[in-house]
Amino acid sequence: MSPEYVHRTGPPPGYKPVHLVVGVVLLVVWFAVLGFVMTHGRGEASSVDVYSELPTGFNAALAAEGVSYQGLSPVDATTEQQVLTHLPELGNDNGGKPLVFRTSFTAAHGQGQPGTATPALMVVVPDPQGSDVHVDFVDPTTYAQLRSVDYSGAVSSATP
């Protein structure tokens, strides 16, 4: 029989027993890390609580204007700077520090019928001297203003 047709038995060429030991060690370390990651971090609160940064009465004021949002998450400093440069100046009466969040919002159309959820950046500018709040919903790619809401206590006004 020709040597090409003979099935060779034994370890492959270049094999050393240390290769088996290294492979087993890597496999054990991989499963140990996987087990650690899977068992830690569940049930703990998020390190970023963006909802606590919103002004008092924020949700009620937006709901009164037929606007709802869901899924707030913080944005990086570059995105925040870009969106703020595309918005018009608010003037001296509302000089609070702007809060910028990534979200999706829905605005009611006409007879209170809900609209379609739209991805947006939400810019909230509270007035440090009073209860006036200015909210802009901005397109996340073009930074075009989609909806604006201003409210002061029980009084609010919205612009589509």
Side-chain angles (χ1 to χ4, degrees):
M1 213 171 191
S2 162
E4 294 90 31
Y5 295 112
V6 175
H7 181 48
R8 181 183 160 126
T9 59
Y15 172 79
K16 296 182 179 157
V18 72
H19 295 147
L20 180 62
V21 173
V22 170
V24 168
V25 168
L26 286 175
L27 189 65
V28 168
V29 169
W30 173 257
F31 279 107
V33 169
L34 183 64
F36 178 80
V37 169
M38 297 297 284
T39 59
H40 288 75
R42 286 188 293 166
E44 295 177 9
S46 172
S47 62
V48 179
D49 183 15
V50 294
Y51 293 96
S52 65
E53 298 179 34
L54 295 174
T56 310
F58 182 77
N59 292 333
L62 288 183
E65 296 298 329
V67 177
S68 64
Y69 66 92
Q70 64 181 19
L72 287 185
S73 62
V75 297
D76 59 90
T78 304
T79 303
E80 182 176 339
Q81 186 178 25
Q82 287 177 343
V83 73
L84 293 176
T85 59
H86 285 84
L87 290 176
E89 292 294 324
L90 296 173
N92 295 334
D93 61 337
N94 201 352
K97 178 176 178 355
L99 306 170
V100 181
F101 304 107
R102 189 171 310 278
T103 188
S104 73
F105 83 103
T106 305
H109 298 293
Q111 304 291 326
Q113 299 169 348
T116 305
T118 305
L121 297 171
M122 180 170 68
V123 181
V124 181
V125 186
D127 183 9
Q129 281 79 29
S131 61
D132 294 338
V133 178
H134 177 79
V135 183
D136 283 318
F137 290 95
V138 180
D139 184 90
T141 55
T142 64
Y143 303 115
Q145 189 174 13
L146 301 172
R147 174 94 182 209
S148 179
V149 177
D150 292 311
Y151 72 90
S152 173
V155 181
S156 64
S157 64
T159 58

